[in-house]
Every structure is written in structure tokens, then in C-alpha cells.
Amino acid sequence: VQLQASGGGLVQAGGSLRLSCVASGRILSIYNMGWARQVPGKDRELVARISGPGTTNYADFAKGRFTISRDSSMKAVYLEMNNLKPEDTAVYYCNADLLGSGYSRNNYWGQGTLVTVSS
């Protein structure tokens, strides 16, 4: 199983970015998907997550600015980030809680994509 994240980059404060993450491999079902972020020296923190039926949860800092969504295949998750602030600078990781071909349920992380917001 692999999670491939993309879409990070350099943006000015107030700008927008859209992150994408696609899951591939021997996957029977994906339950929850989400995004977390991490800056050096700090713990990884949840940004947003979305369940199979589409229930969403956001960190307080993301509410009103970020939108998480999944595509119809249920194997891709997106994070639309608007009104970005310098404090949003971090490596963003996608995450999937899924059932693999061995009928084992595990949590997987993507490789991370760097978001840099300049002031």
C-alpha cells in the first residue's frame, strides 16, 4: 500500500493551495482519510479527516479556511487550503485507515509534501 501526496509548494500569505493524495496497492476498503502536518521540533498535528460516509473533522486552525474531500473512487483525498498564513508552513502528510488484501486494518502515511507560506 502506498499513499502518494502532491500539491505542496511556495505561496504568499493569503494564497491558496490544493493538496492531493492517492492510495494505491492491494486495498479492499478505505475507511477514514485525512491530513496532518508537522514542523521541525513539534509533534505531528491533525489538520482534517474525512470518513467513508463523508463526515469531516477539522482542527480549529483549519476551520473556515481548509476543506477536505474525497473522490468517488474513495481512494483519493484532497485538501483545499485558502487564506494561507505563514504559520501554516509545514510538511503535510496524508493518512489512510484501510483494510488491506490480508484483511488487516492498518493506518498508513504518505511521504509528505512541503507547504511554505511567505509573509
Side-chain angles (χ1 to χ4, degrees):
V1 175
Q2 286 189 330
L3 298 179
Q4 182 67 45
S6 61
L10 174 64
V11 64
Q12 288 188 332
S16 300
L17 281 175
R18 185 174 189 254
L19 305 183
S20 302
C21 177
V22 180
S24 62
R26 297 184 176 185
I27 299 169
L28 295 179
S29 182
I30 300 180
Y31 302 104
N32 306 304
M33 298 188 82
W35 293 91
R37 69 185 188 183
Q38 189 170 24
V39 297
K42 292 189 176 181
D43 292 336
R44 191 173 295 185
E45 61 178 351
L46 172 72
V47 176
R49 62 186 172 194
I50 183 167
S51 70
T55 301
T56 57
N57 296 98
Y58 294 92
D60 286 343
F61 63 79
K63 292 178 181 177
R65 299 190 298 130
F66 296 0
T67 302
I68 190 170
S69 61
R70 289 173 73 165
D71 75 347
S72 58
S73 75
M74 302 297 280
K75 289 186 176 180
V77 63
Y78 308 99
L79 185 68
E80 184 76 32
M81 303 186 293
N82 298 311
N83 190 23
L84 283 162
K85 304 175 181 180
E87 52 264 42
D88 293 318
T89 296
V91 177
Y92 285 71
Y93 297 91
C94 64
N95 166 263
D97 169 21
L98 60 87
L99 187 69
S101 59
Y103 291 92
S104 63
R105 182 169 178 173
N106 289 292
N107 204 36
Y108 292 85
W109 291 94
Q111 85 285 7
T113 185
L114 177 62
V115 172
T116 303
V117 184
S118 62
S119 58

